[in-house]
PDB file of all heavy atoms in Angstrom:
ATOM      1  N   ARG A   1       0.820  -1.254  -0.045  1.00  0.00           N
ATOM      2  CA  ARG A   1       0.006   0.038   0.016  1.00  0.00           C
ATOM      3  C   ARG A   1       0.869   1.231  -0.021  1.00  0.00           C
ATOM      4  O   ARG A   1       0.409   2.273  -0.468  1.00  0.00           O
ATOM      5  CB  ARG A   1      -0.904  -0.007   1.212  1.00  0.00           C
ATOM      6  CG  ARG A   1      -2.090  -0.969   1.094  1.00  0.00           C
ATOM      7  CD  ARG A   1      -3.152  -0.782   2.134  1.00  0.00           C
ATOM      8  NE  ARG A   1      -2.687  -1.030   3.492  1.00  0.00           N
ATOM      9  CZ  ARG A   1      -2.684  -2.215   4.133  1.00  0.00           C
ATOM     10  NH1 ARG A   1      -3.179  -3.323   3.443  1.00  0.00           N
ATOM     11  NH2 ARG A   1      -2.314  -2.346   5.320  1.00  0.00           N
ATOM     12  N   LYS A   2       2.033   1.177   0.509  1.00  0.00           N
ATOM     13  CA  LYS A   2       3.017   2.263   0.440  1.00  0.00           C
ATOM     14  C   LYS A   2       3.684   2.389  -0.853  1.00  0.00           C
ATOM     15  O   LYS A   2       4.498   3.322  -1.129  1.00  0.00           O
ATOM     16  CB  LYS A   2       4.098   2.053   1.551  1.00  0.00           C
ATOM     17  CG  LYS A   2       3.564   2.322   2.981  1.00  0.00           C
ATOM     18  CD  LYS A   2       4.676   2.052   3.976  1.00  0.00           C
ATOM     19  CE  LYS A   2       4.236   2.348   5.411  1.00  0.00           C
ATOM     20  NZ  LYS A   2       4.002   3.833   5.656  1.00  0.00           N
ATOM     21  N   GLY A   3       3.341   1.582  -1.857  1.00  0.00           N
ATOM     22  CA  GLY A   3       3.922   1.646  -3.171  1.00  0.00           C
ATOM     23  C   GLY A   3       5.305   1.046  -3.220  1.00  0.00           C
ATOM     24  O   GLY A   3       6.055   1.332  -4.233  1.00  0.00           O
ATOM     25  N   LEU A   4       5.728   0.169  -2.291  1.00  0.00           N
ATOM     26  CA  LEU A   4       7.138  -0.312  -2.249  1.00  0.00           C
ATOM     27  C   LEU A   4       7.256  -1.663  -3.011  1.00  0.00           C
ATOM     28  O   LEU A   4       8.426  -2.116  -3.163  1.00  0.00           O
ATOM     29  CB  LEU A   4       7.489  -0.505  -0.806  1.00  0.00           C
ATOM     30  CG  LEU A   4       7.486   0.755   0.042  1.00  0.00           C
ATOM     31  CD1 LEU A   4       7.816   0.443   1.506  1.00  0.00           C
ATOM     32  CD2 LEU A   4       8.540   1.782  -0.477  1.00  0.00           C
ATOM     33  N   LEU A   5       6.151  -2.275  -3.481  1.00  0.00           N
ATOM     34  CA  LEU A   5       6.225  -3.604  -4.172  1.00  0.00           C
ATOM     35  C   LEU A   5       5.692  -3.483  -5.587  1.00  0.00           C
ATOM     36  O   LEU A   5       4.938  -2.547  -5.893  1.00  0.00           O
ATOM     37  CB  LEU A   5       5.460  -4.603  -3.346  1.00  0.00           C
ATOM     38  CG  LEU A   5       5.949  -4.824  -1.887  1.00  0.00           C
ATOM     39  CD1 LEU A   5       4.980  -5.794  -1.209  1.00  0.00           C
ATOM     40  CD2 LEU A   5       7.399  -5.356  -1.827  1.00  0.00           C
ATOM     41  N   VAL A   6       6.188  -4.409  -6.439  1.00  0.00           N
ATOM     42  CA  VAL A   6       5.700  -4.388  -7.773  1.00  0.00           C
ATOM     43  C   VAL A   6       4.873  -5.706  -7.986  1.00  0.00           C
ATOM     44  O   VAL A   6       5.300  -6.778  -7.584  1.00  0.00           O
ATOM     45  CB  VAL A   6       6.928  -4.424  -8.743  1.00  0.00           C
ATOM     46  CG1 VAL A   6       6.462  -4.491 -10.215  1.00  0.00           C
ATOM     47  CG2 VAL A   6       7.751  -3.154  -8.595  1.00  0.00           C
ATOM     48  N   HIS A   7       3.796  -5.587  -8.693  1.00  0.00           N
ATOM     49  CA  HIS A   7       2.873  -6.724  -8.969  1.00  0.00           C
ATOM     50  C   HIS A   7       3.407  -7.465 -10.196  1.00  0.00           C
ATOM     51  O   HIS A   7       3.911  -6.843 -11.122  1.00  0.00           O
ATOM     52  CB  HIS A   7       1.442  -6.198  -9.088  1.00  0.00           C
ATOM     53  CG  HIS A   7       0.879  -5.811  -7.758  1.00  0.00           C
ATOM     54  ND1 HIS A   7      -0.314  -6.349  -7.286  1.00  0.00           N
ATOM     55  CD2 HIS A   7       1.297  -5.003  -6.801  1.00  0.00           C
ATOM     56  CE1 HIS A   7      -0.571  -5.840  -6.117  1.00  0.00           C
ATOM     57  NE2 HIS A   7       0.356  -4.971  -5.814  1.00  0.00           N
ATOM     58  N   PRO A   8       3.064  -8.821 -10.247  1.00  0.00           N
ATOM     59  CA  PRO A   8       2.372  -9.594  -9.252  1.00  0.00           C
ATOM     60  C   PRO A   8       3.251  -9.814  -8.081  1.00  0.00           C
ATOM     61  O   PRO A   8       4.448 -10.128  -8.162  1.00  0.00           O
ATOM     62  CB  PRO A   8       2.126 -10.853 -10.025  1.00  0.00           C
ATOM     63  CG  PRO A   8       3.194 -11.029 -10.999  1.00  0.00           C
ATOM     64  CD  PRO A   8       3.420  -9.592 -11.459  1.00  0.00           C
ATOM     65  N   LEU A   9       2.633  -9.790  -6.914  1.00  0.00           N
ATOM     66  CA  LEU A   9       3.338 -10.207  -5.628  1.00  0.00           C
ATOM     67  C   LEU A   9       3.687 -11.689  -5.645  1.00  0.00           C
ATOM     68  O   LEU A   9       2.948 -12.429  -6.138  1.00  0.00           O
ATOM     69  CB  LEU A   9       2.500  -9.778  -4.428  1.00  0.00           C
ATOM     70  CG  LEU A   9       2.086  -8.361  -4.326  1.00  0.00           C
ATOM     71  CD1 LEU A   9       1.252  -8.183  -2.985  1.00  0.00           C
ATOM     72  CD2 LEU A   9       3.227  -7.401  -4.343  1.00  0.00           C
ATOM     73  N   HIS A  10       4.743 -12.001  -5.079  1.00  0.00           N
ATOM     74  CA  HIS A  10       5.140 -13.445  -4.917  1.00  0.00           C
ATOM     75  C   HIS A  10       5.514 -13.673  -3.422  1.00  0.00           C
ATOM     76  O   HIS A  10       6.394 -12.996  -2.865  1.00  0.00           O
ATOM     77  CB  HIS A  10       6.292 -13.821  -5.799  1.00  0.00           C
ATOM     78  CG  HIS A  10       6.680 -15.228  -5.618  1.00  0.00           C
ATOM     79  ND1 HIS A  10       5.876 -16.324  -6.035  1.00  0.00           N
ATOM     80  CD2 HIS A  10       7.848 -15.821  -5.034  1.00  0.00           C
ATOM     81  CE1 HIS A  10       6.491 -17.400  -5.657  1.00  0.00           C
ATOM     82  NE2 HIS A  10       7.593 -17.185  -5.083  1.00  0.00           N
ATOM     83  N   PHE A  11       4.782 -14.653  -2.836  1.00  0.00           N
ATOM     84  CA  PHE A  11       5.005 -15.025  -1.423  1.00  0.00           C
ATOM     85  C   PHE A  11       5.679 -16.432  -1.341  1.00  0.00           C
ATOM     86  O   PHE A  11       5.497 -17.253  -2.130  1.00  0.00           O
ATOM     87  CB  PHE A  11       3.668 -15.029  -0.740  1.00  0.00           C
ATOM     88  CG  PHE A  11       2.962 -13.769  -0.672  1.00  0.00           C
ATOM     89  CD1 PHE A  11       2.167 -13.199  -1.680  1.00  0.00           C
ATOM     90  CD2 PHE A  11       2.994 -12.945   0.554  1.00  0.00           C
ATOM     91  CE1 PHE A  11       1.496 -12.065  -1.573  1.00  0.00           C
ATOM     92  CE2 PHE A  11       2.338 -11.762   0.634  1.00  0.00           C
ATOM     93  CZ  PHE A  11       1.603 -11.312  -0.382  1.00  0.00           C
ATOM     94  N   ASP A  12       6.377 -16.599  -0.156  1.00  0.00           N
ATOM     95  CA  ASP A  12       6.832 -17.911   0.239  1.00  0.00           C
ATOM     96  C   ASP A  12       6.341 -18.245   1.608  1.00  0.00           C
ATOM     97  O   ASP A  12       6.649 -17.515   2.534  1.00  0.00           O
ATOM     98  CB  ASP A  12       8.394 -17.920   0.195  1.00  0.00           C
ATOM     99  CG  ASP A  12       8.910 -19.321   0.615  1.00  0.00           C
ATOM    100  OD1 ASP A  12       8.252 -20.360   0.325  1.00  0.00           O
ATOM    101  OD2 ASP A  12       9.976 -19.356   1.262  1.00  0.00           O
ATOM    102  N   PHE A  13       5.447 -19.183   1.744  1.00  0.00           N
ATOM    103  CA  PHE A  13       4.943 -19.605   3.043  1.00  0.00           C
ATOM    104  C   PHE A  13       5.895 -20.628   3.670  1.00  0.00           C
ATOM    105  O   PHE A  13       6.047 -21.758   3.158  1.00  0.00           O
ATOM    106  CB  PHE A  13       3.517 -20.192   2.899  1.00  0.00           C
ATOM    107  CG  PHE A  13       2.558 -19.514   2.037  1.00  0.00           C
ATOM    108  CD1 PHE A  13       1.642 -20.096   1.218  1.00  0.00           C
ATOM    109  CD2 PHE A  13       2.507 -18.091   2.135  1.00  0.00           C
ATOM    110  CE1 PHE A  13       0.664 -19.447   0.482  1.00  0.00           C
ATOM    111  CE2 PHE A  13       1.582 -17.332   1.389  1.00  0.00           C
ATOM    112  CZ  PHE A  13       0.667 -18.019   0.587  1.00  0.00           C
ATOM    113  N   VAL A  14       6.492 -20.231   4.742  1.00  0.00           N
ATOM    114  CA  VAL A  14       7.401 -21.134   5.505  1.00  0.00           C
ATOM    115  C   VAL A  14       6.596 -21.605   6.724  1.00  0.00           C
ATOM    116  O   VAL A  14       6.386 -20.896   7.724  1.00  0.00           O
ATOM    117  CB  VAL A  14       8.687 -20.404   5.887  1.00  0.00           C
ATOM    118  CG1 VAL A  14       9.649 -21.374   6.599  1.00  0.00           C
ATOM    119  CG2 VAL A  14       9.310 -19.665   4.740  1.00  0.00           C
ATOM    120  N   LEU A  15       6.154 -22.907   6.640  1.00  0.00           N
ATOM    121  CA  LEU A  15       5.361 -23.462   7.610  1.00  0.00           C
ATOM    122  C   LEU A  15       6.104 -24.424   8.437  1.00  0.00           C
ATOM    123  O   LEU A  15       6.951 -25.225   7.957  1.00  0.00           O
ATOM    124  CB  LEU A  15       4.162 -24.148   6.969  1.00  0.00           C
ATOM    125  CG  LEU A  15       3.260 -23.255   6.074  1.00  0.00           C
ATOM    126  CD1 LEU A  15       2.159 -24.028   5.434  1.00  0.00           C
ATOM    127  CD2 LEU A  15       2.689 -22.059   6.876  1.00  0.00           C
ATOM    128  N   GLY A  16       5.929 -24.364   9.774  1.00  0.00           N
ATOM    129  CA  GLY A  16       6.468 -25.284  10.661  1.00  0.00           C
ATOM    130  C   GLY A  16       7.597 -24.629  11.556  1.00  0.00           C
ATOM    131  O   GLY A  16       8.268 -25.341  12.280  1.00  0.00           O
ATOM    132  N   VAL A  17       7.681 -23.331  11.465  1.00  0.00           N
ATOM    133  CA  VAL A  17       8.600 -22.611  12.426  1.00  0.00           C
ATOM    134  C   VAL A  17       7.817 -21.862  13.425  1.00  0.00           C
ATOM    135  O   VAL A  17       7.775 -22.234  14.600  1.00  0.00           O
ATOM    136  CB  VAL A  17       9.505 -21.601  11.575  1.00  0.00           C
ATOM    137  CG1 VAL A  17      10.412 -20.856  12.546  1.00  0.00           C
ATOM    138  CG2 VAL A  17      10.380 -22.326  10.538  1.00  0.00           C
ATOM    139  N   GLN A  18       7.111 -20.844  13.007  1.00  0.00           N
ATOM    140  CA  GLN A  18       6.237 -20.095  13.882  1.00  0.00           C
ATOM    141  C   GLN A  18       4.733 -20.401  13.819  1.00  0.00           C
ATOM    142  O   GLN A  18       4.060 -20.259  14.788  1.00  0.00           O
ATOM    143  CB  GLN A  18       6.450 -18.585  13.637  1.00  0.00           C
ATOM    144  CG  GLN A  18       5.759 -17.606  14.557  1.00  0.00           C
ATOM    145  CD  GLN A  18       6.437 -16.244  14.657  1.00  0.00           C
ATOM    146  OE1 GLN A  18       7.590 -16.146  15.201  1.00  0.00           O
ATOM    147  NE2 GLN A  18       5.828 -15.254  14.157  1.00  0.00           N
ATOM    148  N   MET A  19       4.393 -20.978  12.688  1.00  0.00           N
ATOM    149  CA  MET A  19       3.056 -21.428  12.483  1.00  0.00           C
ATOM    150  C   MET A  19       3.063 -22.941  12.096  1.00  0.00           C
ATOM    151  O   MET A  19       4.071 -23.427  11.468  1.00  0.00           O
ATOM    152  CB  MET A  19       2.523 -20.657  11.213  1.00  0.00           C
ATOM    153  CG  MET A  19       1.024 -20.895  10.896  1.00  0.00           C
ATOM    154  SD  MET A  19       0.522 -19.765   9.571  1.00  0.00           S
ATOM    155  CE  MET A  19      -1.171 -20.223   9.432  1.00  0.00           C
ATOM    156  N   SER A  20       2.074 -23.619  12.502  1.00  0.00           N
ATOM    157  CA  SER A  20       2.117 -25.068  12.280  1.00  0.00           C
ATOM    158  C   SER A  20       2.061 -25.367  10.795  1.00  0.00           C
ATOM    159  O   SER A  20       1.592 -24.507  10.083  1.00  0.00           O
ATOM    160  CB  SER A  20       0.994 -25.724  13.089  1.00  0.00           C
ATOM    161  OG  SER A  20      -0.275 -25.277  12.682  1.00  0.00           O
ATOM    162  N   ALA A  21       2.452 -26.566  10.394  1.00  0.00           N
ATOM    163  CA  ALA A  21       2.510 -26.934   9.043  1.00  0.00           C
ATOM    164  C   ALA A  21       1.557 -28.002   8.712  1.00  0.00           C
ATOM    165  O   ALA A  21       1.853 -29.230   8.623  1.00  0.00           O
ATOM    166  CB  ALA A  21       3.957 -27.400   8.603  1.00  0.00           C
ATOM    167  N   THR A  22       0.273 -27.614   8.591  1.00  0.00           N
ATOM    168  CA  THR A  22      -0.832 -28.520   8.200  1.00  0.00           C
ATOM    169  C   THR A  22      -1.439 -28.045   6.923  1.00  0.00           C
ATOM    170  O   THR A  22      -1.297 -26.859   6.525  1.00  0.00           O
ATOM    171  CB  THR A  22      -1.880 -28.639   9.314  1.00  0.00           C
ATOM    172  OG1 THR A  22      -2.551 -27.386   9.346  1.00  0.00           O
ATOM    173  CG2 THR A  22      -1.227 -28.948  10.645  1.00  0.00           C
ATOM    174  N   LEU A  23      -2.229 -28.938   6.288  1.00  0.00           N
ATOM    175  CA  LEU A  23      -2.866 -28.527   5.055  1.00  0.00           C
ATOM    176  C   LEU A  23      -3.957 -27.418   5.364  1.00  0.00           C
ATOM    177  O   LEU A  23      -4.210 -26.529   4.560  1.00  0.00           O
ATOM    178  CB  LEU A  23      -3.561 -29.741   4.456  1.00  0.00           C
ATOM    179  CG  LEU A  23      -2.632 -30.758   3.870  1.00  0.00           C
ATOM    180  CD1 LEU A  23      -3.387 -31.912   3.186  1.00  0.00           C
ATOM    181  CD2 LEU A  23      -1.651 -30.225   2.856  1.00  0.00           C
ATOM    182  N   ARG A  24      -4.538 -27.427   6.583  1.00  0.00           N
ATOM    183  CA  ARG A  24      -5.511 -26.371   7.011  1.00  0.00           C
ATOM    184  C   ARG A  24      -4.732 -25.018   6.999  1.00  0.00           C
ATOM    185  O   ARG A  24      -5.269 -24.046   6.414  1.00  0.00           O
ATOM    186  CB  ARG A  24      -5.931 -26.665   8.378  1.00  0.00           C
ATOM    187  CG  ARG A  24      -6.871 -25.533   9.043  1.00  0.00           C
ATOM    188  CD  ARG A  24      -6.797 -25.585  10.529  1.00  0.00           C
ATOM    189  NE  ARG A  24      -5.438 -25.257  11.008  1.00  0.00           N
ATOM    190  CZ  ARG A  24      -5.149 -25.346  12.312  1.00  0.00           C
ATOM    191  NH1 ARG A  24      -6.018 -25.737  13.241  1.00  0.00           N
ATOM    192  NH2 ARG A  24      -3.942 -25.090  12.708  1.00  0.00           N
ATOM    193  N   ASP A  25      -3.515 -25.003   7.463  1.00  0.00           N
ATOM    194  CA  ASP A  25      -2.772 -23.763   7.545  1.00  0.00           C
ATOM    195  C   ASP A  25      -2.375 -23.242   6.112  1.00  0.00           C
ATOM    196  O   ASP A  25      -2.372 -22.102   5.779  1.00  0.00           O
ATOM    197  CB  ASP A  25      -1.475 -23.981   8.415  1.00  0.00           C
ATOM    198  CG  ASP A  25      -1.869 -24.214   9.848  1.00  0.00           C
ATOM    199  OD1 ASP A  25      -2.661 -23.510  10.424  1.00  0.00           O
ATOM    200  OD2 ASP A  25      -1.384 -25.271  10.367  1.00  0.00           O
ATOM    201  N   LEU A  26      -2.012 -24.304   5.239  1.00  0.00           N
ATOM    202  CA  LEU A  26      -1.606 -23.993   3.929  1.00  0.00           C
ATOM    203  C   LEU A  26      -2.803 -23.342   3.176  1.00  0.00           C
ATOM    204  O   LEU A  26      -2.647 -22.251   2.448  1.00  0.00           O
ATOM    205  CB  LEU A  26      -1.160 -25.217   3.179  1.00  0.00           C
ATOM    206  CG  LEU A  26      -0.787 -25.073   1.765  1.00  0.00           C
ATOM    207  CD1 LEU A  26       0.522 -24.218   1.594  1.00  0.00           C
ATOM    208  CD2 LEU A  26      -0.436 -26.421   1.122  1.00  0.00           C
ATOM    209  N   VAL A  27      -3.950 -23.863   3.276  1.00  0.00           N
ATOM    210  CA  VAL A  27      -5.141 -23.341   2.604  1.00  0.00           C
ATOM    211  C   VAL A  27      -5.436 -21.934   3.105  1.00  0.00           C
ATOM    212  O   VAL A  27      -5.765 -20.990   2.373  1.00  0.00           O
ATOM    213  CB  VAL A  27      -6.334 -24.283   2.798  1.00  0.00           C
ATOM    214  CG1 VAL A  27      -7.720 -23.622   2.381  1.00  0.00           C
ATOM    215  CG2 VAL A  27      -6.138 -25.599   2.090  1.00  0.00           C
ATOM    216  N   PHE A  28      -5.341 -21.734   4.425  1.00  0.00           N
ATOM    217  CA  PHE A  28      -5.601 -20.382   4.982  1.00  0.00           C
ATOM    218  C   PHE A  28      -4.616 -19.394   4.458  1.00  0.00           C
ATOM    219  O   PHE A  28      -5.008 -18.243   4.139  1.00  0.00           O
ATOM    220  CB  PHE A  28      -5.429 -20.592   6.549  1.00  0.00           C
ATOM    221  CG  PHE A  28      -5.624 -19.229   7.250  1.00  0.00           C
ATOM    222  CD1 PHE A  28      -6.734 -18.489   7.171  1.00  0.00           C
ATOM    223  CD2 PHE A  28      -4.617 -18.723   8.089  1.00  0.00           C
ATOM    224  CE1 PHE A  28      -6.936 -17.265   7.859  1.00  0.00           C
ATOM    225  CE2 PHE A  28      -4.726 -17.608   8.740  1.00  0.00           C
ATOM    226  CZ  PHE A  28      -5.951 -16.834   8.609  1.00  0.00           C
ATOM    227  N   MET A  29      -3.308 -19.766   4.401  1.00  0.00           N
ATOM    228  CA  MET A  29      -2.304 -18.768   3.930  1.00  0.00           C
ATOM    229  C   MET A  29      -2.630 -18.419   2.437  1.00  0.00           C
ATOM    230  O   MET A  29      -2.562 -17.270   2.077  1.00  0.00           O
ATOM    231  CB  MET A  29      -0.943 -19.366   4.124  1.00  0.00           C
ATOM    232  CG  MET A  29      -0.564 -19.572   5.600  1.00  0.00           C
ATOM    233  SD  MET A  29      -0.256 -17.963   6.436  1.00  0.00           S
ATOM    234  CE  MET A  29       1.442 -17.713   5.989  1.00  0.00           C
ATOM    235  N   ALA A  30      -2.771 -19.504   1.615  1.00  0.00           N
ATOM    236  CA  ALA A  30      -2.981 -19.219   0.221  1.00  0.00           C
ATOM    237  C   ALA A  30      -4.300 -18.397  -0.031  1.00  0.00           C
ATOM    238  O   ALA A  30      -4.280 -17.591  -1.003  1.00  0.00           O
ATOM    239  CB  ALA A  30      -3.163 -20.563  -0.573  1.00  0.00           C
ATOM    240  N   GLY A  31      -5.283 -18.536   0.803  1.00  0.00           N
ATOM    241  CA  GLY A  31      -6.471 -17.702   0.739  1.00  0.00           C
ATOM    242  C   GLY A  31      -6.356 -16.317   1.222  1.00  0.00           C
ATOM    243  O   GLY A  31      -7.361 -15.566   1.181  1.00  0.00           O
ATOM    244  N   SER A  32      -5.189 -15.982   1.794  1.00  0.00           N
ATOM    245  CA  SER A  32      -5.020 -14.646   2.435  1.00  0.00           C
ATOM    246  C   SER A  32      -4.270 -13.684   1.581  1.00  0.00           C
ATOM    247  O   SER A  32      -4.032 -12.560   2.026  1.00  0.00           O
ATOM    248  CB  SER A  32      -4.336 -14.908   3.807  1.00  0.00           C
ATOM    249  OG  SER A  32      -5.135 -15.662   4.644  1.00  0.00           O
ATOM    250  N   ILE A  33      -3.837 -14.116   0.424  1.00  0.00           N
ATOM    251  CA  ILE A  33      -2.988 -13.172  -0.406  1.00  0.00           C
ATOM    252  C   ILE A  33      -3.855 -12.651  -1.562  1.00  0.00           C
ATOM    253  O   ILE A  33      -4.897 -13.161  -1.899  1.00  0.00           O
ATOM    254  CB  ILE A  33      -1.779 -13.952  -0.973  1.00  0.00           C
ATOM    255  CG1 ILE A  33      -2.160 -15.031  -1.841  1.00  0.00           C
ATOM    256  CG2 ILE A  33      -0.862 -14.367   0.189  1.00  0.00           C
ATOM    257  CD1 ILE A  33      -0.966 -15.787  -2.535  1.00  0.00           C
ATOM    258  N   PRO A  34      -3.451 -11.504  -2.128  1.00  0.00           N
ATOM    259  CA  PRO A  34      -4.277 -10.825  -3.131  1.00  0.00           C
ATOM    260  C   PRO A  34      -4.422 -11.737  -4.459  1.00  0.00           C
ATOM    261  O   PRO A  34      -3.555 -12.424  -4.758  1.00  0.00           O
ATOM    262  CB  PRO A  34      -3.503  -9.595  -3.500  1.00  0.00           C
ATOM    263  CG  PRO A  34      -2.598  -9.370  -2.301  1.00  0.00           C
ATOM    264  CD  PRO A  34      -2.290 -10.720  -1.761  1.00  0.00           C
ATOM    265  N   PRO A  35      -5.602 -11.607  -5.103  1.00  0.00           N
ATOM    266  CA  PRO A  35      -5.767 -12.262  -6.376  1.00  0.00           C
ATOM    267  C   PRO A  35      -4.715 -11.887  -7.317  1.00  0.00           C
ATOM    268  O   PRO A  35      -4.248 -10.755  -7.394  1.00  0.00           O
ATOM    269  CB  PRO A  35      -7.125 -11.753  -6.830  1.00  0.00           C
ATOM    270  CG  PRO A  35      -7.861 -11.386  -5.614  1.00  0.00           C
ATOM    271  CD  PRO A  35      -6.752 -10.867  -4.684  1.00  0.00           C
ATOM    272  N   GLY A  36      -4.273 -12.931  -8.127  1.00  0.00           N
ATOM    273  CA  GLY A  36      -3.149 -12.684  -9.087  1.00  0.00           C
ATOM    274  C   GLY A  36      -1.783 -12.837  -8.593  1.00  0.00           C
ATOM    275  O   GLY A  36      -0.885 -12.876  -9.283  1.00  0.00           O
ATOM    276  N   SER A  37      -1.645 -13.032  -7.257  1.00  0.00           N
ATOM    277  CA  SER A  37      -0.354 -13.194  -6.689  1.00  0.00           C
ATOM    278  C   SER A  37       0.115 -14.727  -6.913  1.00  0.00           C
ATOM    279  O   SER A  37      -0.773 -15.564  -7.063  1.00  0.00           O
ATOM    280  CB  SER A  37      -0.310 -12.982  -5.183  1.00  0.00           C
ATOM    281  OG  SER A  37      -0.750 -11.683  -4.850  1.00  0.00           O
ATOM    282  N   THR A  38       1.368 -14.930  -6.927  1.00  0.00           N
ATOM    283  CA  THR A  38       1.890 -16.322  -6.949  1.00  0.00           C
ATOM    284  C   THR A  38       2.506 -16.626  -5.547  1.00  0.00           C
ATOM    285  O   THR A  38       2.790 -15.738  -4.754  1.00  0.00           O
ATOM    286  CB  THR A  38       3.035 -16.417  -8.051  1.00  0.00           C
ATOM    287  OG1 THR A  38       4.079 -15.496  -7.770  1.00  0.00           O
ATOM    288  CG2 THR A  38       2.403 -16.203  -9.402  1.00  0.00           C
ATOM    289  N   TRP A  39       2.628 -17.957  -5.319  1.00  0.00           N
ATOM    290  CA  TRP A  39       3.141 -18.409  -4.023  1.00  0.00           C
ATOM    291  C   TRP A  39       3.871 -19.724  -4.093  1.00  0.00           C
ATOM    292  O   TRP A  39       3.582 -20.590  -4.940  1.00  0.00           O
ATOM    293  CB  TRP A  39       2.050 -18.461  -3.033  1.00  0.00           C
ATOM    294  CG  TRP A  39       0.870 -19.394  -3.273  1.00  0.00           C
ATOM    295  CD1 TRP A  39      -0.180 -19.033  -4.095  1.00  0.00           C
ATOM    296  CD2 TRP A  39       0.659 -20.680  -2.855  1.00  0.00           C
ATOM    297  NE1 TRP A  39      -1.047 -20.114  -4.213  1.00  0.00           N
ATOM    298  CE2 TRP A  39      -0.607 -21.162  -3.416  1.00  0.00           C
ATOM    299  CE3 TRP A  39       1.402 -21.578  -2.054  1.00  0.00           C
ATOM    300  CZ2 TRP A  39      -1.063 -22.431  -3.143  1.00  0.00           C
ATOM    301  CZ3 TRP A  39       0.889 -22.827  -1.805  1.00  0.00           C
ATOM    302  CH2 TRP A  39      -0.343 -23.237  -2.342  1.00  0.00           C
ATOM    303  N   THR A  40       4.881 -19.812  -3.229  1.00  0.00           N
ATOM    304  CA  THR A  40       5.684 -21.043  -3.006  1.00  0.00           C
ATOM    305  C   THR A  40       5.424 -21.408  -1.585  1.00  0.00           C
ATOM    306  O   THR A  40       5.082 -20.557  -0.709  1.00  0.00           O
ATOM    307  CB  THR A  40       7.138 -20.730  -3.300  1.00  0.00           C
ATOM    308  OG1 THR A  40       7.314 -20.429  -4.648  1.00  0.00           O
ATOM    309  CG2 THR A  40       7.965 -21.900  -2.864  1.00  0.00           C
ATOM    310  N   ALA A  41       5.510 -22.705  -1.221  1.00  0.00           N
ATOM    311  CA  ALA A  41       5.396 -23.111   0.117  1.00  0.00           C
ATOM    312  C   ALA A  41       6.440 -24.100   0.513  1.00  0.00           C
ATOM    313  O   ALA A  41       6.867 -24.902  -0.430  1.00  0.00           O
ATOM    314  CB  ALA A  41       3.973 -23.719   0.408  1.00  0.00           C
ATOM    315  N   THR A  42       6.865 -24.110   1.718  1.00  0.00           N
ATOM    316  CA  THR A  42       7.752 -25.120   2.232  1.00  0.00           C
ATOM    317  C   THR A  42       7.334 -25.591   3.597  1.00  0.00           C
ATOM    318  O   THR A  42       6.858 -24.768   4.439  1.00  0.00           O
ATOM    319  CB  THR A  42       9.208 -24.731   2.245  1.00  0.00           C
ATOM    320  OG1 THR A  42      10.081 -25.797   2.667  1.00  0.00           O
ATOM    321  CG2 THR A  42       9.448 -23.528   3.197  1.00  0.00           C
ATOM    322  N   GLY A  43       7.402 -26.875   3.872  1.00  0.00           N
ATOM    323  CA  GLY A  43       7.140 -27.372   5.223  1.00  0.00           C
ATOM    324  C   GLY A  43       8.482 -27.785   5.803  1.00  0.00           C
ATOM    325  O   GLY A  43       9.265 -28.530   5.138  1.00  0.00           O
ATOM    326  N   ILE A  44       8.751 -27.335   7.016  1.00  0.00           N
ATOM    327  CA  ILE A  44       9.973 -27.636   7.699  1.00  0.00           C
ATOM    328  C   ILE A  44      10.059 -29.067   8.266  1.00  0.00           C
ATOM    329  O   ILE A  44       8.975 -29.513   8.900  1.00  0.00           O
ATOM    330  CB  ILE A  44      10.229 -26.664   8.796  1.00  0.00           C
ATOM    331  CG1 ILE A  44      10.273 -25.212   8.264  1.00  0.00           C
ATOM    332  CG2 ILE A  44      11.583 -26.923   9.509  1.00  0.00           C
ATOM    333  CD1 ILE A  44      11.287 -24.959   7.178  1.00  0.00           C
ATOM    334  N   GLY A  45      11.088 -29.781   8.023  1.00  0.00           N
ATOM    335  CA  GLY A  45      11.228 -31.136   8.666  1.00  0.00           C
ATOM    336  C   GLY A  45      10.310 -32.121   8.082  1.00  0.00           C
ATOM    337  O   GLY A  45      10.079 -32.215   6.898  1.00  0.00           O
TER     338      GLY A  45
END
């Protein structure tokens, strides 16, 4: 919103460090980013 990023945004969800790494959490994270964004995910351990 401050104009510091360029679209499309790209996220990496790192699950299993501060947030648990379940499919429920993955779906929640993927549903929380703007339409048109891309995303990568990793589960720790």
Side-chain angles (χ1 to χ4, degrees):
R1 289 192 294 273
K2 290 178 174 289
L4 299 174
L5 302 175
V6 176
H7 286 235
L9 304 181
H10 177 69
F11 294 84
D12 179 33
F13 308 145
V14 184
L15 302 178
V17 178
Q18 186 154 288
M19 183 175 182
S20 58
T22 67
L23 294 179
R24 176 204 64 186
D25 298 309
L26 180 64
V27 170
F28 176 60
M29 295 289 275
S32 300
I33 62 177
S37 302
T38 56
W39 57 277
T40 294
T42 185
I44 302 301

